[in-house]
Amino acid sequence: MKKIFIILSISLVALSQVLFTSCSSTPSVPSNYQTENRLPQITPDYTDITVPCNIAPMNFSVKEGTDKVVVRFTSPAGEFVYGEENNVIIDEAEWKSMLEASKGKDIKVEIFAEVEGQWKMFKAFNFHVAEEPIDEYISYRLIQPSYVAYEELILAERNLTTFEEKQFYNNMAVQTEENGQCVNCHSYQNYKTDRMQFHMRQSLGGTMIVDNGKIKKVNLKTDATISAGVYPAWHPTLNLIAYSTNKTGQSFHTKDKAKIEVQDTESDLILYDVEKNSVITIANDSNELEVFPTWAPDGKTLYFCSAHFEYKNDSIAKETEMIQRYKECKYSLYKMTFNEKTHEFGPREMVYDAASEGYSVTLPRVSPDGRYIYFAQGEFGCFHVWHPDADILAFDTKANEVIDLKAVNSNRAESYPTISSNGRWLMFVSRRDDGNYTRPYISYIDKQGKPRKAFELPQKDPNFYTFFLKSFNRPEFMVEPVKQSLNEFASAAKKDAEQATYGK
Amino acid sequence: MKLKLSYIYALIFIIVCYILLPVMNSDYLFTLQERSLWVNGHTFMTETVGRDGWIGYIGCYLTQYFYYPWLGSTIIIALWLVICYILNKVMELPDAFTFVPYLTIWFLPVYLLSLGYWVYFIKTPGYPFIPTIYALILSLVCLIINILFRNIKNDYFRIFRLIFVVSLLSIIKPYDFNKYHEFGITLKNDNYRHELKMYKAVDENRWNDVLAEAPKQENKDHKHPTNLMVMFKNLALLNTDQLLEKAFDYDNCGTAPQTSDDLKVKLFVQAGPMLYYHYGLVNYAYRWSIENSVKYNFSVNSLKMLVRCAIYNQEFDVAMKYISILKSTTFYKDWAKKQEAMIRDSRLFMESEDYQRISVLQTKGNELDDDLSNISKYILDHFSNYNSSTYPFEDLSIVSSLLLQREDEFMIHFYNYIQNHSEDPTPKIMQEAAYFIGPTEMSPVDVSLFPFDMNIKDAFANFNEEYRVRSAQGEADSNIAKSLLPMYGNTYWWYYFFHSELKFY
């Protein structure tokens, strides 16, 4: 017994020594070094970016072919040194103090790396800290970048001020081996979560609606509509949701890098009245593919995209003709006025005739001041997340012109733009890391509407994105967390859906 | 010195296990680890533990050792011995009865070998070791209970303890066992075992080894190969420049795999990406690697294919992502580094066997299409529909149209072939098919002036006559097929008459 006690004591002392050494030592900045006149290779690329004053630590990994790295952060709050390995994990408390003291100013980052026995100092870069905070929460769908198959689909929220992530829906809680369930299109009213919705398809299908904290599951497919609701947009104040209804198909490129085309062969717009549980048609022109509704912040205008497409060959299926002519399908940006009292819409008006210019616009979102409409634009089609040429652009309703947001785009697909509640942070997904996995990126939009270099959503593990094999889909800003739990949603999912009625 | 019986029992157990595992089933064990994944890193650990728990994570870790089937087997057999040792301690059995624990854990080796075709469809990461880990934990629980109640020493308690241990272990017996009972397939199904060997050989470009596993047409038992075996065999013939000459020397009557439960084997899961990649449809190989990974988890197997496709398509960033993951495994670091070297030095890639073979299989232009999850049919359609006078398309088109029994497409390929090879002798199989199809209304080509070899004309006349006579006597086609196999098994007529429908699955 005595022996065991002695061995245990020695082990504890040794362990505490190891822990103490690893936790307390601050690496020293090398005094002798060569100066490299270039920026260091770091992932994610956080060089010279503008960050919110409440963001989680911007951890990164130095990719200079060595583990011996020292990083010095200099801010009005003082100097902080990290390193001795290539993963730079910033202490959360120290980071907060740096951000707090640096609002409207810069945090200088100097990186030293020992390569082949010689220390090098790379060109310093800055984190510019914006005075405007970012919405505290975002939510997204986590999905493997598959084409048709799916298995685990997660709706998760992330606290942007920390690394905390919480699942609020996971289809594995309800689906069985034989009966899979697809989950998509989470959406909120005005950045708040008292009113939110998402869809479930196939097994236990229906639209999950949260209305002032109460969950209900509805079936929006009626005899008069193409499908259940697809792309949603909550009215900013009223208990109404505009949806597209779509008939969607996929086909696959034998050689093209895009690999897949997703096309709508039919597409209309409907309005769902949550209280009455009824839908009406907004637009259903048979020669138009209307999709992606989004409300202006005042709730008096509905923006949407529409492609003029006339089927010409009756002898083949619509799907076949669409596959043959898929590059002809180009969406432009339109709007309709909305009478909040009568729930009636005005005639459609062209906002941006993208099709005439050889482009196709999708997924519009309006800035909180109503001036800018952000959207994803590519050469053709409605599913730009698979189109490498797709970029995020904005339409300035005041100047009546399109703004090319070069600072946020890459030579790979960008899609799903969304703007924070204060209008200063543009979030979107991009495949720029590797061409295959969509990652959330955030860009600061200054008061003149100009974007700054976008940065990848920070993660605790700087190598997270390399090893994470899921895509981030449809990122949405929220000012508060989702209040319902995964179990509550799962229980509601197992219930039968209430059938919506058609007409007033 | 008297040898203790417990040692003899242990020795017998070890010998039986080694025979069952690495000696008889090394390809199966290797496949188990290739369809699994363990990555040294925080993100993988967090995800796996979050989804499958620590037991799943440890299961993944241990499964990777089947990369060397003897090493993985040694680890799992050692764990089984530890369990038996603990149970012996707990049961306090007399020496003569120390075989009882081995009987108690009989289901663990059975579990390990019960996957059969489920090896491609299993969704439980680390499955091969999970029952063993559970058994180990439960036996440790028994040991702790035994220590706690060690002062009670009467016979009733001993019997109670024995019953308790056996019933405790039986808790894990139903674990997924009802789902996987393909023990017989793993051990005895020839096609299954050929497929495992062929897959590995194709993966390593060992084409002659692929052919060694393919049954020749004149095989005595006349058990048909699976469709996958036919596709692999033809691929190996293509890559050894003998497709047109020898395709019908082998049995082309591909069947669906036989399973002993309700599992419906799908080719796209089993080997879809591998077939697409080697037949030059790289985008589709990539797509199915992803689709399968989504359904059945990312594995070493799928990551390797994703790397190959991404490098071929020059999508180097995503290739590096998968390479980084494979570099963080225990046994695939070197493979990943070789692929990385090809990204760094494009000459290495251009000189690689993969590039040399696959680049010549590229058809002109991009198409928007859908295989409707029917891989082998899509590949055969793809080549059968394609008209080209260049090698290897010419051979592939001819053989594909023959396999699909597309008379019109074959006759057009035949016509083009004899135009392009007017100086060369026309291969036997083409003459057989053209002599038979040419005069019919299905043929868009007039072959009346083509100088068919006399022995082909005679052979067809004899075949036709024998078939006519036997058929008139009321003999079933299956019997006629068996009778005519030795003489005509490698003719196109035999294939056409007796194998009217390819089994796609």
Side-chain angles (χ1 to χ4, degrees), chain A residues 144-145 147-149 151 177 251-257 259 412 434 436-437 439 461 465-466 468, chain B residues 43 47 123 283-284 286-287 290-291 294-295 313 315 317-318 321-322 328 363 365-369:
Chain A
Q144 283 111 335
Y147 303 90
V148 175
E151 189 72 5
E177 185 69 36
S251 43
F252 304 92
H253 292 284
T254 52
K255 284 186 167 178
D256 198 292
K257 277 187 182 176
K259 295 191 179 63
R412 289 185 174 139
D434 51 47
N436 276 241
Y437 290 80
R439 304 299 188 211
D461 176 4
Y465 291 113
T466 301
F468 192 60
Chain B
T43 302
E47 261 211 288
K123 289 185 176 181
N283 260 14
Y284 281 26
Y286 188 91
R287 179 205 157 191
I290 289 281
E291 306 271 30
V294 168
K295 290 303 276 185
N313 282 337
E315 295 175 289
D317 287 342
V318 76
K321 175 188 181 75
Y322 299 128
S328 301
T363 50
N366 174 57
E367 279 175 60
L368 203 51
D369 209 346

Side-chain angles (χ1 to χ4, degrees), chain B residues 300-501:
Chain B
V300 166
N301 180 273
S302 61
L303 288 169
K304 278 169 64 183
M305 183 49 69
L306 290 166
V307 169
R308 286 168 145 176
C309 295
I311 292 178
Y312 185 85
N313 282 337
Q314 301 195 18
E315 295 175 289
F316 297 135
D317 287 342
V318 76
M320 279 308 298
K321 175 188 181 75
Y322 299 128
I323 285 171
S324 301
I325 296 172
L326 286 169
K327 276 166 76 179
S328 301
T329 63
T330 309
F331 297 110
Y332 288 87
K333 282 189 179 87
D334 291 342
W335 187 92
K337 282 176 186 167
K338 275 184 194 162
Q339 307 303 311
E340 189 178 11
M342 285 200 269
I343 292 175
R344 306 246 180 267
D345 183 354
S346 60
R347 279 176 311 172
L348 287 176
F349 173 60
M350 305 291 259
E351 288 163 9
S352 70
E353 192 187 332
D354 277 15
Y355 178 79
Q356 302 277 337
R357 285 187 301 93
I358 293 167
S359 58
V360 296
L361 288 170
Q362 298 307 304
T363 50
K364 283 177 190 157
N366 174 57
E367 279 175 60
L368 203 51
D369 209 346
D370 191 353
D371 61 12
L372 303 172
S373 310
N374 202 335
I375 274 79
S376 51
K377 183 170 187 303
Y378 188 81
I379 291 170
L380 293 175
D381 276 342
H382 177 73
F383 290 112
S384 181
N385 290 331
Y386 196 70
N387 285 314
S388 169
S389 57
T390 56
Y391 182 83
F393 288 115
E394 201 171 46
D395 293 17
L396 270 168
S397 300
I398 290 164
V399 171
S400 299
S401 61
L402 288 174
L403 287 170
L404 289 168
Q405 301 182 3
R406 301 256 173 86
E407 297 86 355
D408 50 347
E409 285 173 5
F410 165 72
M411 288 310 295
I412 290 166
H413 296 317
F414 175 79
Y415 176 80
N416 291 336
Y417 185 91
I418 56 175
Q419 297 297 315
N420 296 329
H421 301 269
S422 54
E423 303 296 314
D424 305 329
T426 306
K428 168 183 163 284
I429 199 73
M430 290 180 70
Q431 289 201 50
E432 286 172 354
Y435 185 67
F436 157 59
I437 299 166
T440 68
E441 59 190 26
M442 294 177 286
S443 171
V445 177
D446 179 8
V447 292
S448 56
L449 296 176
F450 183 80
F452 289 104
D453 292 352
M454 190 51 77
N455 59 349
I456 285 178
K457 291 180 182 176
D458 293 345
F460 182 64
N462 294 338
F463 174 85
N464 212 12
E465 180 59 14
E466 271 212 60
Y467 179 76
R468 194 189 60 75
V469 169
R470 284 169 182 267
S471 209
Q473 288 168 349
E475 202 174 333
D477 265 10
S478 55
N479 284 340
I480 305 174
K482 269 186 191 169
S483 307
L484 299 187
L485 178 73
M487 184 72 87
Y488 300 101
N490 62 351
T491 65
Y492 187 64
W493 316 310
W494 191 91
Y495 176 79
Y496 190 92
F497 274 60
F498 303 120
H499 190 69
S500 55
E501 203 180 342

Side-chain angles (χ1 to χ4, degrees), chain A residues 214-442:
Chain A
K214 285 184 185 164
I215 305 174
K216 69 172 179 177
K217 182 179 155 187
V218 295
N219 178 13
L220 299 178
K221 170 76 178 89
T222 70
D223 292 341
T225 51
I226 298 170
S227 69
V230 183
Y231 297 104
W234 275 90
H235 188 277
T237 53
L238 302 176
N239 213 355
L240 301 171
I241 311 172
Y243 287 104
S244 66
T245 54
N246 309 73
K247 200 175 261 183
T248 306
Q250 292 126 320
S251 43
F252 304 92
H253 292 284
T254 52
K255 284 186 167 178
D256 198 292
K257 277 187 182 176
K259 295 191 179 63
I260 186 172
E261 279 308 321
V262 181
Q263 306 116 330
D264 287 342
T265 48
E266 290 178 51
S267 186
D268 292 334
L269 296 180
I270 58 168
L271 185 71
Y272 174 59
D273 187 320
V274 178
E275 274 160 29
K276 292 181 184 167
N277 193 28
S278 67
V279 296
I280 56 167
T281 300
I282 301 173
N284 63 350
D285 188 324
S286 59
N287 291 328
E288 291 288 330
L289 297 166
E290 303 97 339
V291 69
F292 305 127
T294 193
W295 296 96
D298 63 4
K300 290 174 182 164
T301 305
L302 181 74
Y303 290 94
F304 61 100
C305 300
S306 183
H308 184 79
F309 193 88
E310 292 179 34
Y311 290 99
K312 294 171 182 169
N313 190 346
D314 290 341
S315 64
I316 54 173
K318 280 183 177 177
E319 291 78 10
T320 311
E321 188 173 345
M322 179 56 86
I323 287 171
Q324 288 171 356
R325 296 172 52 208
Y326 71 101
K327 286 195 175 178
E328 294 173 33
C329 195
K330 293 173 192 277
Y331 292 78
S332 292
L333 185 62
Y334 292 84
K335 68 177 179 183
M336 285 174 180
T337 55
F338 178 64
N339 186 320
E340 290 178 294
K341 285 181 184 159
T342 62
H343 294 187
E344 283 171 352
F345 290 87
R348 56 193 264 156
E349 297 170 48
M350 177 73 80
V351 177
Y352 165 42
D353 188 0
S356 295
E357 295 184 26
Y359 296 113
S360 182
V361 297
T362 62
L363 297 157
R365 286 297 173 92
V366 189
S367 63
D369 61 4
R371 178 170 171 179
Y372 299 103
I373 304 166
Y374 298 94
F375 52 81
Q377 176 173 284
E379 198 189 319
F380 56 84
C382 62
F383 218 75
H384 288 334
V385 78
W386 285 111
H387 293 153
D389 68 316
D391 283 336
I392 306 298
L393 282 83
F395 185 83
D396 183 346
T397 55
K398 198 172 167 188
N400 205 28
E401 64 182 17
V402 174
I403 309 166
D404 191 354
L405 308 176
K406 280 190 180 136
V408 307
N409 291 311
S410 72
N411 57 358
R412 289 185 174 139
E414 272 83 34
S415 190
Y416 285 109
T418 181
I419 188 83
S420 66
S421 63
N422 61 5
R424 291 279 78 83
W425 301 97
L426 175 70
M427 179 165 59
F428 54 95
V429 295
S430 172
R431 290 193 201 271
R432 70 186 59 179
D433 287 18
D434 51 47
N436 276 241
Y437 290 80
T438 50
R439 304 299 188 211
Y441 274 77
I442 298 168

Side-chain angles (χ1 to χ4, degrees), chain A residues 144 151-152 154 167 170 172 468-470, chain B residues 37 43-54 56-57 60 123-126 293-294 296-298:
Chain A
Q144 283 111 335
E151 189 72 5
E152 186 181 49
I154 295 166
Q167 297 180 12
N170 185 326
M172 300 304 273
F468 192 60
L469 291 164
K470 288 193 172 100
Chain B
L37 180 67
T43 302
F44 177 82
M45 187 182 76
T46 314
E47 261 211 288
T48 312
V49 172
R51 191 186 56 224
D52 309 306
W54 278 102
Y57 179 76
C60 289
K123 289 185 176 181
T124 314
S293 303
V294 168
Y296 305 104
N297 301 314
F298 280 90

